[in-house]
Amino acid sequence: MASEDAASGGDHADLGDIQRQHWQSTYRDNPGMFGETPSAPALQAAQIFGAAGARTILELGAGHGRDALYFARAGFTVHATDFSDVGLRQLRERADSDAVEWLTTEIIDVRAPLPLPDASYDAVYAHMLLCMALSSEEIFTLVHDIHRVLRPGGTFFYTVRHTGDAHYGTGIDHGGDIFEHGGFAVHFFSRAFVDALAEGWNLRRIDEFEEGALPRRLWSVVQTRR
């Protein structure tokens, strides 16, 4: 899978740039598009992080920040990141308006190495970030980098749409299990891919859930740094 994606790396890079502009426009035209209440995965993640004694959370793909704000209000110290400055500006404005403390933001494009110190976070949270328009090679590299920034024993919680989803195999086919619908490109995950990403980690749990009207079919995955 990785070799197939690498062969078309230029196409994936172009698609990623197109997707970044699409998300910028989407956040600009639809402020707070996901609402103010936290997602179901954020509620689950907060319980898992709390039980593990985590205090600091890195969120990748925070968007306009409904989950980041929830984590901060729950008492975690949160560093919320996204490749959309428009989304993060909306998050920052909301955090300032509500006097939410212990929350910082940073523009980060996960296609490049994370500009963060080693072993600097207790937990990493990524709701549907890994299943964006990223090649398999880019995802493997990112997960390796997440391992680096987590402290020993730290928890990585992520969600992805999987190959049992109704949109898998339909729409615009970009190769490498990436299909586009309504301008949004999604990398659909097989169970074998999830298992491969967990190599070198302790895979704690995989839960299936549904979201939205289609409904979208997803997995939430919990793995910890060895």
Side-chain angles (χ1 to χ4, degrees):
M1 182 180 296
S3 61
E4 177 185 344
D5 285 344
S8 58
D11 291 341
H12 281 298
D14 293 342
L15 178 62
D17 292 338
I18 292 170
Q19 286 292 294
R20 182 175 188 172
Q21 292 305 314
H22 184 61
W23 278 103
Q24 290 275 66
S25 298
T26 300
Y27 283 130
R28 190 177 296 112
D29 296 341
N30 303 277
M33 62 181 289
F34 293 114
E36 299 181 1
T37 58
S39 67
L43 301 178
Q44 181 188 15
Q47 291 183 337
I48 292 170
F49 295 158
R55 301 305 306 159
T56 57
I57 299 174
L58 168 65
E59 181 174 0
L60 301 173
H64 64 76
R66 59 174 178 159
D67 290 346
L69 289 165
Y70 169 72
F71 291 139
R73 289 172 177 139
F76 297 98
T77 298
V78 183
H79 189 50
T81 72
D82 200 278
F83 67 176
S84 169
D85 63 307
V86 178
L88 289 182
R89 190 180 310 118
Q90 294 172 7
L91 165 55
R92 188 71 265 162
E93 290 172 354
R94 182 65 187 278
D96 291 344
S97 174
D98 294 354
V100 175
E101 298 182 345
W102 315 118
L103 189 152
T104 56
T105 60
E106 183 176 359
I107 299 171
I108 290 180
D109 187 334
V110 297
R111 293 174 295 171
L114 299 176
L116 302 167
D118 295 354
S120 50
Y121 296 95
D122 298 324
V124 175
Y125 173 78
H127 180 28
M128 292 185 67
L129 182 278
L130 268 65
C131 63
M132 302 285 279
L134 300 169
S135 69
S136 296
E137 182 179 12
E138 288 171 329
I139 295 168
F140 273 111
T141 299
L142 173 59
V143 171
H144 179 76
D145 215 13
I146 289 169
H147 188 281
R148 177 185 64 78
V149 303
L150 272 174
R151 296 189 175 104
T155 304
F156 177 31
F157 181 107
Y158 72 90
T159 68
V160 288
R161 293 174 74 176
H162 61 67
T163 53
D165 188 280
H167 277 165
Y168 176 66
T170 67
I172 301 172
D173 185 355
H174 291 284
D177 282 337
I178 298 176
F179 296 89
E180 181 180 337
H181 288 266
F184 295 98
V186 175
H187 189 143
F188 294 88
F189 279 45
S190 67
R191 176 55 195 267
F193 192 38
V194 170
D195 290 340
L197 290 174
E199 292 182 8
W201 297 73
N202 293 314
L203 181 58
R204 299 300 187 186
R205 60 189 290 177
I206 301 175
D207 296 306
E208 185 169 12
F209 68 101
E210 296 182 347
E211 186 178 76
L214 185 61
R216 294 182 292 272
R217 300 188 65 187
L218 303 96
W219 283 318
S220 63
V221 181
V222 180
Q223 54 195 52
T224 55
R225 177 180 168 176
R226 291 180 182 172

